[in-house]
Amino acid sequence: MSTVRGARERARIEVTAAIKDEARRMLAAEGAAKLSLRAVARELGMVSSALYRYFPSRDELLTALIVDAYDSVGAAAEEADARARAAGAPPRARWVEVCGAFRAWALAHPHEYSLIYGSPVPGYSAPLDTVGPAARAANTLIGIVRAAHQGRGIALPPLPAALRAEAERMTADFAEGLPPEVTAALVAAWGQLVGLVSCEVFGQFNRVVEDRDAFFAHAAGQLAHAVGLPSV
């Protein structure tokens, strides 16, 4: 009985992977707004009722693709930081490495990047299942700053009095142990990082930035400075 169950589980994993692979192909060809279960089933030679046993709705398939994408870019960020730490890199260098890994993943997976950081999909509302995976890449950067704060210390960015209450709320929500000044700077830096990468992925840097590797490395270093990380 266990052998039969194992074979069924392997078959289910294989079919699920095939469904998601075909859905990603459709994302690349037509965009998320045109994704449909019927179209995926047709391309795979399945009847729609069979596919519904794996993903009961388009939104559940989209959620699976979104979680996979967030987990993939999050893993890329975490692995980059682990390599930098193993090499004895200081916090600023770790930050730049993680930012670079985020950019490299986006350039290698532009359609998946668009799915999670581009325009919202009409009619789709992301469930709570996506929150944890979505935070992985940003949490890697927060972890670098937290380690620096607990170690050699960091410079506190300026914080307007009118923003302090909001910065304190954000700190309590996702950056416990950091000064509110740093939390506000981190949120701004994350927004700027996504903006920089989006400009490159979506072609906004065409005929503007030629040496994009050097430009991005400089910009990532500036973001590290903005959150208070020391230069060495």
Side-chain angles (χ1 to χ4, degrees), residues 3 11 24 26 30 51 53 57 71 74 103 109 127 133 146 163 171 185 199 208 222 232:
T3 300
R24 291 188 188 98
M26 289 187 172
E30 302 181 36
L51 191 146
R53 291 200 294 269
S57 69
D71 276 335
R103 171 184 177 243
H109 306 85
R146 182 180 286 114
L163 186 57
T171 298
C199 281
V208 177
Q222 292 297 104
V232 294

Side-chain angles (χ1 to χ4, degrees), residues 9-129:
E9 290 174 355
R10 288 193 298 273
R12 184 174 184 84
I13 290 170
E14 291 173 1
V15 173
T16 299
I19 292 169
K20 291 196 287 188
D21 285 345
E22 179 59 30
R24 291 188 188 98
R25 190 196 67 77
M26 289 187 172
L27 287 179
E30 302 181 36
K34 294 186 177 180
L35 180 67
S36 76
L37 293 183
R38 288 183 180 276
V40 172
R42 183 171 59 251
E43 291 298 321
L44 292 176
M46 299 173 64
V47 295
S48 299
S49 59
L51 191 146
Y52 290 139
R53 291 200 294 269
Y54 295 86
F55 296 100
S57 69
R58 180 210 70 158
D59 284 6
E60 291 199 27
L61 176 55
L62 269 176
T63 295
L65 298 177
I66 288 168
V67 168
D68 283 354
Y70 276 133
D71 276 335
S72 182
V73 69
E78 292 162 0
E79 290 164 8
D81 188 38
R83 289 192 300 270
R85 282 189 287 111
R92 185 187 184 97
R94 288 170 57 190
W95 173 284
V96 172
E97 285 296 316
V98 171
C99 290
F102 182 84
R103 171 184 177 243
W105 182 91
L107 294 175
H109 306 85
H111 304 293
E112 291 170 77
Y113 179 87
S114 179
L115 178 64
I116 55 178
Y117 294 111
S119 299
V121 180
Y124 174 79
S125 179
L128 291 177
D129 294 359

Side-chain angles (χ1 to χ4, degrees), residues 142-182:
I142 292 173
I144 293 169
V145 176
R146 182 180 286 114
H149 176 60
Q150 294 171 346
R152 296 175 57 188
I154 54 180
L156 294 185
L159 180 68
L163 186 57
R164 179 161 294 276
E166 175 64 3
E168 289 174 348
R169 182 200 61 77
M170 291 190 293
T171 298
D173 281 352
F174 56 80
E176 187 175 354
L178 287 177
E181 292 88 346
V182 176

Side-chain angles (χ1 to χ4, degrees), residues 208-230:
V208 177
V209 180
E210 297 295 334
D211 189 347
R212 295 177 186 173
D213 291 345
F215 178 81
F216 184 84
H218 169 73
Q222 292 297 104
L223 294 179
H225 174 77
V227 301
L229 291 175

